[in-house]
Amino acid sequence: MNVITVDDYKNTYWPKLESAIEQLLTQSPGDYIPISYEQIYSCVYKCVCQQHSEQMYSDLMCKITCHLEKVSLELQTASPEQYIEKFNLALSQYMGALHSIVPLFIYMNKFYIETKLNRDLRDELILLFTEHVAEKHIYSLMPLLLEAQSTPIPGHPLHHGGHREGSVHTEARLQSPVCSYPLYYQIGGVSDWVQLAPALFSKFIPNILPPALESQLQDYAVQDRSFSEIFCRTDSTVSPRVRPFYIVQDLGNFIPE
């Protein structure tokens, strides 16, 4: 293997890595990026073998931090109507990028980050999102999530004044970030944030609410009967695709606030 000098790393190897990282960070979910994963992995492997791990790790963290700071600034300009959607898109886009970035740098992770830093690359990159995006927006995002969860769905069969034609709006909301499990799971990974709205997160993450109490067994029995009625409900006028979400909203009505 040819010797890779510091200049070689700065002028040849890192620019290739940086370009690939930029494409992965900015691609839309589901898009195909025409980059050579084999070539990128080979660059990482050679740089690690040539003792450039420390500089490469520093450059990687700096690159992603700069990207996340831009994402955070863009979220600040989002209107309340678009805030949840844009936050969820930023989160989905970033987590999708990690699915490629972490494997590409697996050799650096194994022989530098885990060995010398006693950390894990994926955990480090998720922490970056937490520090530079989520922590800056959680107190603006949480009230909007609570409001969205409590808003009745147009066309809900139990919604007073609802109408069947509204099921088209329900189909759209089924795809919205309000129903996104990854959104709540990622935010819920920080216990302090969960405590801001435990009932909200308990619909998506287990063991959030206090354990069951013997003194409340009668209340649980009433809830069980209500759950049975919800799951047994059939309505041929409601789209099968939408019906599961009706059930989710109905169940949410029984979760204590």
Side-chain angles (χ1 to χ4, degrees):
M1 182 183 297
N2 295 331
V3 174
I4 300 176
T5 65
V6 172
D7 288 340
D8 290 336
Y9 169 80
K10 290 182 177 180
N11 299 324
T12 303
Y13 287 86
W14 175 246
K16 290 181 180 178
L17 296 174
E18 184 179 29
S19 175
I21 294 167
E22 178 67 24
Q23 291 183 67
L24 292 170
L25 288 172
T26 56
Q27 69 175 333
S28 299
D31 283 357
Y32 170 74
I33 301 297
I35 62 175
S36 172
Y37 289 88
E38 182 179 0
Q39 184 182 53
I40 299 304
Y41 180 86
S42 177
C43 284
V44 173
Y45 172 80
K46 291 176 181 177
C47 290
V48 171
C49 292
Q50 294 286 318
Q51 307 300 313
H52 295 290
S53 297
E54 182 176 0
Q55 185 61 53
M56 184 164 55
Y57 171 74
S58 176
D59 290 339
L60 174 63
M61 300 300 279
C62 182
K63 171 67 180 177
I64 294 182
T65 296
C66 290
H67 168 76
L68 292 176
E69 288 176 346
K70 292 179 183 177
V71 169
S72 182
L73 288 174
E74 291 174 359
L75 286 173
Q76 290 178 12
T77 64
S79 65
E81 294 77 15
Q82 298 178 321
Y83 199 85
I84 297 177
E85 182 179 355
K86 288 197 172 183
F87 186 95
N88 186 64
L89 176 60
L91 173 61
S92 300
Q93 190 175 43
Y94 185 69
M95 298 304 291
L98 294 195
H99 285 309
S100 296
I101 293 174
V102 172
L104 287 174
F105 286 85
I106 191 171
Y107 204 75
M108 180 185 72
N109 187 45
K110 183 175 181 61
F111 291 99
Y112 176 72
I113 301 176
E114 291 182 353
T115 304
K116 294 189 176 181
L117 303 182
N118 294 318
R119 296 198 289 266
D120 176 77
L121 178 58
R122 181 178 178 80
D123 293 343
E124 291 283 282
L125 297 182
I126 290 177
L127 183 60
L128 285 183
F129 186 90
T130 300
E131 293 177 345
H132 296 282
V133 180
E135 284 186 351
K136 295 180 179 180
H137 295 274
I138 189 64
Y139 293 102
S140 299
L141 181 67
M142 194 69 72
L144 295 174
L145 289 174
L146 288 168
E147 180 184 0
Q149 283 288 342
S150 63
T151 302
I153 307 172
H156 193 296
L158 298 183
H159 180 219
H160 297 295
H163 48 86
R164 299 305 178 192
E165 292 78 13
S167 62
V168 122
H169 300 289
T170 307
E171 290 273 8
R173 186 174 169 188
L174 187 61
Q175 300 297 324
S176 77
V178 177
C179 313
S180 172
Y181 170 77
L183 173 61
Y184 289 95
Y185 185 80
Q186 177 64 25
I187 297 175
V190 180
S191 59
D192 290 344
W193 297 346
V194 170
Q195 297 310 312
L196 294 175
L200 175 66
F201 287 101
S202 67
K203 301 174 186 178
F204 298 86
I205 305 173
N207 303 321
I208 296 298
L209 296 177
L213 299 175
E214 184 177 356
S215 60
Q216 296 180 343
L217 287 178
Q218 187 61 39
D219 294 336
Y220 300 147
V222 172
Q223 288 186 7
D224 284 343
R225 286 194 294 271
S226 300
F227 292 164
S228 297
E229 292 175 4
I230 291 170
F231 281 112
C232 291
R233 182 184 301 124
T234 57
D235 190 336
S236 60
T237 64
V238 177
S239 165
R241 176 175 172 76
V242 175
R243 193 177 299 123
F245 188 51
Y246 285 159
I247 292 175
V248 169
Q249 185 178 16
D250 294 339
L251 292 178
N253 294 332
F254 295 97
I255 295 177
E257 299 297 337

